[in-house]
């Protein structure tokens, strides 16, 4: 039976991809008590390509927000994997840490990260409301536009 969060994703036409394996010497997530710390997720599209580029120099806020939403989808994939396939073990999103590949004069990082925040609230309701940071970065791995990590409370 599909849980409430998976049903909401399906209603939005979203299927969570398989959780990505770590690309280096780290783990995808660590559980400490009821908190799940998920490593930074990159904006990987359904076709496997990464959304690359620099906000304010080739990418606009809407494109950055779409990339941030992809990061949030991958965060949920990691949460689902950590919860043995049962996304409804998620109690709430506690905090997101977002890094935005930005041109020196770009200052709309919060608007970019809203792509992830708005998506999580749309799917999870009040359980998706979270604290966050949205910071500029002069470069990110593989030239991606955004990278987001998260802390989640699970049962």
């Amino acid at each position: 039976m599909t849980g409430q969060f998976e049903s909401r994703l399906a209603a939005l036409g979203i299927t969570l991809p398989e959780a990505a394996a770590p690309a280096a010497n780290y783990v995808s997530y660590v559980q400490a008590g009821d908190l799940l710390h998920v490593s930074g997720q990159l904006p990987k599209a359904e076709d496997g390509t990464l959304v690359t580029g620099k906000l304010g120099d080739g990418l606009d806020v809407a494109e950055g927000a779409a990339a941030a939403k992809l990061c949030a989808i991958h965060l949920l994939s990691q949460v689902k994997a950590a919860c043995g396939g049962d996304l409804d073990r998620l109690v709430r999103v506690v905090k997101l840490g977002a890094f935005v590949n930005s041109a020196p004069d770009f200052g709309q990082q919060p608007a970019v990260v809203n792509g992830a925040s708005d998506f999580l609230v749309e799917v999870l309701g009040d359980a998706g409301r979270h604290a966050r940071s949205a910071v500029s970065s002069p470069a990110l791995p593989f030239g991606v536009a955004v990278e987001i990590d998260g802390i989640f409370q699970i049962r």
Side-chain angles (χ1 to χ4, degrees), residues 13-38:
I14 297 170
T15 302
L16 293 179
E18 290 295 316
N25 189 17
Y26 64 92
V27 294
S28 298
Y29 50 81
V30 171
Q31 184 175 346
D34 66 348
L35 293 180
L36 183 69
H37 297 257
V38 179

Side-chain angles (χ1 to χ4, degrees), residues 46-68:
E46 285 185 38
D47 66 3
T49 60
L50 292 170
V51 179
T52 60
K54 192 171 287 289
L55 276 293
D57 184 15
L59 291 179
D60 63 25
V61 170
E63 291 167 315

Side-chain angles (χ1 to χ4, degrees), residues 15-119:
T15 302
L16 293 179
E18 290 295 316
N25 189 17
Y26 64 92
V27 294
S28 298
Y29 50 81
V30 171
Q31 184 175 346
D34 66 348
L35 293 180
L36 183 69
H37 297 257
V38 179
S39 295
Q41 299 296 300
L42 304 181
K44 186 183 248 184
E46 285 185 38
D47 66 3
T49 60
L50 292 170
V51 179
T52 60
K54 192 171 287 289
L55 276 293
D57 184 15
L59 291 179
D60 63 25
V61 170
E63 291 167 315
K69 178 180 175 181
L70 287 172
C71 293
I73 289 169
H74 290 286
L75 284 167
L76 290 181
S77 291
Q78 294 293 348
V79 172
K80 181 178 176 181
C83 291
D86 183 5
L87 192 57
D88 280 355
R89 286 185 52 203
L90 174 63
V91 174
R92 73 166 305 135
V93 182
V94 177
K95 184 170 192 284
L96 297 182
F99 303 90
V100 179
N101 189 351
S102 304
D105 60 347
F106 184 80
Q108 296 182 44
Q109 291 80 9
V112 169
V113 181
N114 281 345
S117 296
D118 293 347
F119 170 75

